[in-house]
Amino acid sequence: MKYLFSITAVFLFTISATAQNAARTFKSFKKTPNGLEIAVSDGKYLIHFYNESIVETTFLPIGETFNPESHAVVLTPQTKIGKTAEKNGLIALTSSGIKVSITKLPFNISYSYKNKLLLSEKNGYAKKTETGNDGKTQQLETLNFNLDKDEALYGGGARVLGMNRRGNRLQLYNRASYGYETRADLMNFTMPLVLSSKIYAVHFDNPAIGYLDLDSKKDNTLSYETISGRKTYQVIASDSWAKLLENYTALTGRQPLPPRWAFGNFASRFGYRDQEMADKTAQHFIDDKIPVDAMIFDLYWFGKTIKGTMGNLEFDRENFPNPEKMMAGLKEKGIKTILITEPFILTTSSKWQEAVDKKVLATDVSGKPFTYDFYFGNTGLVDVFKPEARNWFWSIYKGLANQGADGVWGDLGEPEVFPSAAFTAKGKADEVHNIYGHNWAKMVFEGYQKDFPNQRPFILMRSGYSGSQRYGMIPWSGDVSRSWGGLSGQMEISLEMGMQGMGYMHSDLGGFAGDYNDNELYLRWLQYGVFQPIFRPHAQEAVASEAVYKDIITKEKAKKIIELRYRLLPYNYNLAFENHKTGLPLMRPLFFEVPANKYLSAVSQTYLWGNDFLVTPIIKAGATETSVFFPKGNWFDFFTGEKHSGEKNITVKTAEDHIPVFVRGGAFIPMSKVVQNTEVYSQSDLEIQYYYDADVKTSTSELYLDDGKTPDAYEKKQYEMIAFRSSLDADAITINVNDNPGLYSVRDKKYTFFIHGLDKKPASASVNNAKTTVTEMGRNIYAITVDITIGETQIKIEL
């Protein structure tokens, strides 16, 4: 009981200056199985815990009933977590982590974590009327909160505003931003989620459109504003960023492991106009020995023209006379096929009448198909909230998969144009606009689970919602300008979205919009792409996106970049597994490493790729040097081996053939040989790069292996885990390798260990006490080849 009230005085002092409006008064409270129900003069609060680090609060105005449906939350609340106590006008609901404090007079609710105040409601629930840009007035329901004057704020979806988004009022309305560069206020993902540098998050669990105001009036106020719907929010708090994201993705779901081929190179453009062009492009990759794993078909697969054909959703047999043979031929070359689809069924498409007859479209107020004009023609929209429409839409995807398609590309899923007057089975357009792409991905994901249970789906989409990661969504950053300005914001977008659960946010490598042809920009973007989640060059066809169509010099440089991407397959796939297991993103902001460093709260141009790579993309033409902040420890230049000490900014020289990339001292980096595609990738012949650092006495790492295809392989124990551990003493390095297979095992593993950072050749080396050969590789690197067997293998290197 002492703990419950140990900071009562602090809360009362804080709240006295920030109490809710005087019109709201406390009436009574009662305990519930896992929380509280609090009656106030204008409604009631429902508060309960999900676990020790997540608490949910709902306000119900008088006359409203509780809507239990969440489109984001999948976590089942634990029971018997919260303890309730009352003393001196304060009610406390406490777990071992989060504490909710309710003062009766003046009424206020505040949240703390392990005695640290996080935030408190300011005015709580209220209504306001405002005039929009169109001159129309609208009424918004609001929830607002007190902020510390110096905390940084992140979240709100995908935008280019700077990492610390405090000071902005963010519209919550998914909308494309064509050709954006150095600023984009509104984009395809607008999550109702705010994260704080104090290491907590607030998720507003309501899909309706609205705004997130991150202290735009500079009065230390966070405000959520919506047109309608649930007044429900979750507060999540943790001791570290990693644990915070683990809790948030426990709440909203974790990303399934994509198929391994998704980490290879994609051939993609807008677009392959016929079967001959597709076949020739694939052959170019084979002939030039440039690795490639997938080919993406844009609009022309279903029609000769951009306008008027959307919604056909079947191959144009005139330009693609035998798509089954084409896709089978690509598959024989190790190349998967991905087809673009959109949810718009044009009135001029071959499927229009079928869609009308089967009643699968959003409707007007009278129940007739709602039609309207947009860029591609006069259209209706598939109502993915209607069971009959989902079944119809999925039957099309199922048919394409049976023809040979290996992945789904869902485009324009904001939806790009979705007038407010439209109705769906789930409500008005503005009530469901932001969850359209989310439910579209859900439909595809669940369809694969039902009809292709042995296949991991690949679902590329440009719009979603909180929790879309659990449906395997692979998001991208939309139609970015093909310019240096376009490249400059891509790190921010991916880092922010990774913090919001969407770990696979990536960009059209080289840029999409415009005909700006700059080979330096193209190569710098590809160099960055090696260290982003998906390696997918894509662009409007005025300038080729594929390496095979570049001039001979640019092609050779691009080839080496793509080969590096393939060499990093084991490391990158291991990151994917970590994301699947814990929710940690593949790209991580530097402040994850040093949360107290205020300078790092705004840094996006240098980031961590997993735990062990430090990456600084080059975002300016002709750059000869750049500044890099090195976290604590020693960092080795990945390309030269030069060592840098941490906790400071260093200006480093740039090179034409790579961006600045550094490896953490003591790290194990698994790499592979270059392969033409992942179908011939071998897990039995890997290279383990170990970065010797005398200051790191022990280090550990794990390598996850599976077949790259089986859904839920980890949960089914269809995997093998290899653990590495280094330990140093005055005159030796000992590396222990523990191979622990599950129901899956890679046979005949022969791994070569490359020891970096030695200033002289080792005196000797042994494997399981038997002497072995050490090969000098140059640049202070020495190699030892080892047979890896089940159980423990010990490598000892005498210095």
Side-chain angles (χ1 to χ4, degrees):
M1 192 65 67
K2 181 179 178 182
Y3 167 75
L4 290 175
F5 297 101
S6 61
I7 54 174
T8 300
V10 176
F11 277 117
L12 291 175
F13 174 79
T14 303
I15 292 164
S16 64
T18 57
Q20 292 192 14
N21 60 72
R24 179 168 298 118
T25 56
F26 174 85
K27 295 179 70 176
S28 64
F29 82 97
K30 64 180 180 181
K31 298 178 184 179
T32 60
N34 203 25
L36 289 172
E37 181 177 313
I38 302 166
V40 293
S41 53
D42 58 345
K44 63 181 177 181
Y45 285 86
L46 308 175
I47 306 172
H48 73 270
F49 285 105
Y50 279 95
N51 60 30
E52 290 81 358
S53 300
I54 306 173
V55 65
E56 178 177 283
T57 299
T58 296
F59 181 75
L60 282 178
I62 289 174
E64 288 192 17
T65 56
F66 179 60
N67 173 11
E69 183 179 25
S70 170
H71 295 272
V73 171
V74 293
L75 186 64
T76 300
Q78 298 176 17
T79 57
K80 300 179 181 178
I81 295 176
K83 297 180 180 179
T84 304
E86 181 183 11
K87 184 178 181 181
N88 298 332
L90 177 70
I91 304 164
L93 175 64
T94 308
S95 73
S96 61
I98 288 182
K99 176 180 179 181
V100 186
S101 299
I102 302 100
T103 57
K104 296 181 180 180
L105 186 66
F107 181 76
N108 191 269
I109 298 178
S110 57
Y111 302 86
S112 63
Y113 180 74
K114 295 184 178 178
N115 281 348
K116 179 178 74 174
L117 178 63
L118 302 176
L119 79 168
S120 60
E121 286 198 357
K122 192 169 189 175
N123 294 319
Y125 171 76
K127 292 183 178 181
K128 74 172 187 176
T129 301
E130 71 170 21
T131 303
N133 295 332
D134 58 1
K136 296 180 180 179
T137 60
Q138 61 179 343
Q139 188 174 73
L140 297 173
E141 298 180 282
T142 70
L143 297 167
N144 64 17
F145 302 82
N146 296 296
L147 295 169
D148 283 357
K149 60 180 175 51
D150 58 353
E151 63 185 296
L153 299 178
Y154 313 97
R159 307 173 196 260
V160 186
L161 302 169
M163 282 297 288
N164 182 1
R165 293 174 170 178
R166 186 165 181 164
N168 291 282
R169 185 172 185 243
L170 309 178
Q171 187 177 1
L172 298 174
Y173 188 88
N174 293 348
R175 177 179 289 161
S177 180
Y178 177 81
Y180 68 91
E181 293 193 42
T182 57
R183 186 174 177 90
D185 294 88
L186 187 63
M187 292 180 66
N188 314 77
F189 288 82
T190 60
M191 314 293 218
L193 173 67
V194 182
L195 302 101
S196 166
S197 56
K198 292 167 65 176
I199 314 184
Y200 72 85
V202 185
H203 176 251
F204 298 97
D205 195 354
N206 178 33
I209 66 172
Y211 298 87
L212 270 180
D213 192 321
L214 307 185
D215 195 28
S216 68
K217 296 179 181 176
K218 310 218 179 293
D219 58 356
N220 301 321
T221 303
L222 164 66
S223 182
Y224 170 69
E225 307 165 0
T226 182
I227 61 164
S228 63
R230 286 158 46 102
K231 276 67 72 175
T232 296
Y233 62 91
Q234 295 92 26
V235 176
I236 308 111
S238 298
D239 297 309
S240 68
W241 281 104
K243 195 67 180 175
L244 182 68
L245 295 189
E246 185 175 341
N247 275 304
Y248 173 71
T249 54
L251 180 72
T252 60
R254 300 229 169 94
Q255 183 99 23
L257 262 174
R260 183 165 21 243
W261 59 261
F263 297 93
N265 178 33
F266 290 70
S268 183
R269 65 157 56 197
F270 180 26
Y272 300 113
R273 290 176 177 263
D274 53 44
Q275 189 165 332
E276 181 182 14
M277 185 181 184
D279 287 337
K280 284 183 176 179
T281 300
Q283 195 58 46
H284 280 314
F285 277 96
I286 305 300
D287 294 342
D288 291 334
K289 295 183 171 56
I290 297 178
V292 67
D293 260 272
M295 179 173 285
I296 298 183
F297 289 77
D298 212 314
L299 298 177
Y300 297 111
W301 73 271
F302 55 71
K304 301 173 189 63
T305 58
I306 295 174
K307 296 183 179 182
T309 60
M310 189 173 287
N312 288 347
L313 294 171
E314 58 189 18
F315 275 96
D316 171 17
R317 293 280 175 165
E318 187 173 332
N319 284 332
F320 293 88
N322 195 336
E324 296 85 358
K325 180 180 178 182
M326 179 191 72
M327 289 188 282
L330 291 173
K331 195 165 294 189
E332 287 175 5
K333 295 180 172 72
I335 300 174
K336 312 298 186 294
T337 300
I338 301 162
L339 304 174
I340 195 172
T341 55
E342 298 86 6
F344 297 96
I345 311 297
L346 299 191
T347 56
T348 53
S349 75
S350 61
K351 288 213 169 21
W352 170 252
Q353 194 57 49
E354 180 183 341
V356 171
D357 293 344
K358 291 184 178 296
K359 299 182 179 180
V360 301
L361 302 172
T363 67
D364 60 20
V365 69
S366 69
K368 296 178 181 178
F370 187 93
T371 58
Y372 51 97
D373 293 328
F374 79 139
Y375 176 80
F376 298 95
N378 185 255
T379 195
L381 180 76
V382 177
D383 184 355
V384 296
F385 305 98
K386 189 176 185 180
E388 299 90 333
R390 289 197 298 272
N391 291 338
W392 177 82
F393 208 8
W394 169 246
S395 71
I396 292 169
Y397 286 112
K398 182 178 178 181
L400 294 171
N402 286 328
Q403 280 184 285
D406 298 282
V408 170
W409 177 6
D411 200 13
L412 315 184
E414 295 76 27
E416 181 162 290
V417 179
F418 193 19
S420 300
F423 287 81
T424 73
K426 206 65 168 178
K428 297 178 181 178
D430 288 348
E431 294 172 329
V432 300
H433 177 95
N434 288 341
I435 53 170
Y436 188 92
H438 178 80
N439 280 271
W440 186 10
K442 177 183 179 182
M443 178 202 80
V444 175
F445 182 75
E446 292 179 347
Y448 269 90
Q449 286 183 317
K450 175 178 174 287
D451 292 316
F452 305 101
N454 298 318
Q455 182 178 345
R456 295 182 190 176
F458 179 86
I459 305 172
L460 180 70
M461 288 198 172
R462 79 175 194 185
S463 189
Y465 179 68
S466 309
S468 288
Q469 69 274 358
R470 67 178 179 264
Y471 300 127
M473 184 186 287
I474 305 289
W476 89 98
S477 59
D479 296 338
V480 58
S481 167
R482 190 185 338 223
S483 65
W484 291 97
L487 171 59
S488 69
Q490 295 309 305
M491 288 63 73
E492 175 193 338
I493 294 171
S494 288
L495 290 169
E496 289 271 2
M497 287 294 285
M499 293 169 64
Q500 297 170 74
M502 303 294 288
Y504 288 86
M505 174 58 78
H506 66 287
S507 62
D508 290 343
L509 298 182
F512 176 81
D515 56 4
Y516 182 56
N517 188 12
D518 182 336
N519 285 330
E520 181 190 6
L521 171 66
Y522 174 75
L523 293 170
R524 288 302 195 197
W525 214 316
L526 263 59
Q527 289 165 2
Y528 158 58
V530 172
F531 302 95
Q532 70 156 17
I534 301 292
F535 192 95
R536 188 182 56 82
H538 181 68
Q540 291 174 334
E541 58 190 337
V543 180
S545 58
E546 308 96 329
V548 295
Y549 290 121
K550 297 296 183 181
D551 63 85
I552 190 168
I553 295 174
T554 305
K555 178 165 64 174
E556 282 304 308
K557 291 177 179 178
K559 179 180 179 180
K560 288 181 171 58
I561 296 168
I562 295 167
E563 287 176 344
L564 177 57
R565 174 72 177 189
Y566 276 77
R567 292 207 65 210
L568 286 170
L569 266 171
Y571 182 86
N572 294 347
Y573 193 70
N574 212 54
L575 289 188
F577 167 69
E578 187 177 17
N579 170 262
H580 169 62
K581 192 170 80 165
T582 70
L584 258 179
L586 289 75
M587 291 173 63
R588 303 166 192 176
L590 283 180
F591 58 75
F592 275 30
E593 192 91 353
V594 196
N597 189 320
K598 292 184 179 180
Y599 160 74
L600 295 181
S601 68
V603 171
S604 62
Q605 303 305 341
T606 295
Y607 62 90
L608 293 162
W609 177 240
N611 183 67
D612 294 325
F613 278 109
L614 185 71
V615 181
T616 302
I618 300 300
I619 58 172
K620 292 182 180 179
T624 58
E625 61 184 26
T626 190
S627 178
V628 178
F629 179 88
F630 289 87
K632 184 178 181 180
N634 293 314
W635 295 84
F636 294 82
D637 190 304
F638 183 54
F639 299 97
T640 69
E642 181 182 0
K643 185 166 74 172
H644 300 272
S645 58
E647 297 188 280
K648 56 188 172 184
N649 269 305
I650 298 176
T651 298
V652 300
K653 299 292 184 184
T654 62
E656 182 187 86
D657 63 347
H658 63 267
I659 57 176
V661 178
F662 306 89
V663 181
R664 189 189 299 271
F668 292 91
I669 306 294
M671 298 179 69
S672 74
K673 305 288 195 302
V674 174
V675 292
Q676 183 62 35
N677 55 67
T678 57
E679 288 296 315
V680 292
Y681 166 70
S682 170
Q683 298 183 106
S684 63
D685 181 20
L686 299 181
E687 299 174 358
I688 310 298
Q689 315 285 338
Y690 169 69
Y691 286 80
Y692 168 72
D693 182 350
D695 295 339
V696 181
K697 300 304 180 185
T698 62
S699 65
T700 59
S701 183
E702 287 186 328
L703 177 61
Y704 172 84
L705 308 176
D706 67 16
D707 66 3
K709 300 176 182 178
T710 300
D712 302 318
Y714 177 66
E715 290 73 17
K716 296 172 182 173
K717 301 191 184 304
Q718 295 279 353
Y719 69 92
E720 182 173 8
M721 192 73 76
I722 302 178
F724 303 98
R725 185 179 190 277
S726 68
S727 56
L728 311 183
D729 56 35
D731 54 8
I733 304 168
T734 302
I735 297 174
N736 290 292
V737 183
N738 196 305
D739 185 1
N740 181 24
L743 300 176
Y744 174 86
S745 180
V746 176
R747 293 190 165 289
D748 303 320
K749 292 187 291 294
K750 188 182 288 288
Y751 290 178
T752 301
F753 285 76
F754 291 85
I755 316 301
H756 296 248
L758 297 180
D759 55 11
K760 62 179 180 180
K761 186 173 182 177
S764 64
S766 61
V767 177
N768 292 337
N769 296 319
K771 283 195 177 289
T772 192
T773 301
V774 178
T775 304
E776 186 171 356
M777 307 301 294
R779 272 184 35 211
N780 297 330
I781 305 171
Y782 298 88
I784 301 168
T785 299
V786 181
D787 291 318
I788 305 296
T789 56
I790 293 173
E792 189 162 72
T793 302
Q794 186 179 88
I795 306 163
K796 190 157 189 177
I797 302 159
E798 304 286 348
L799 302 176

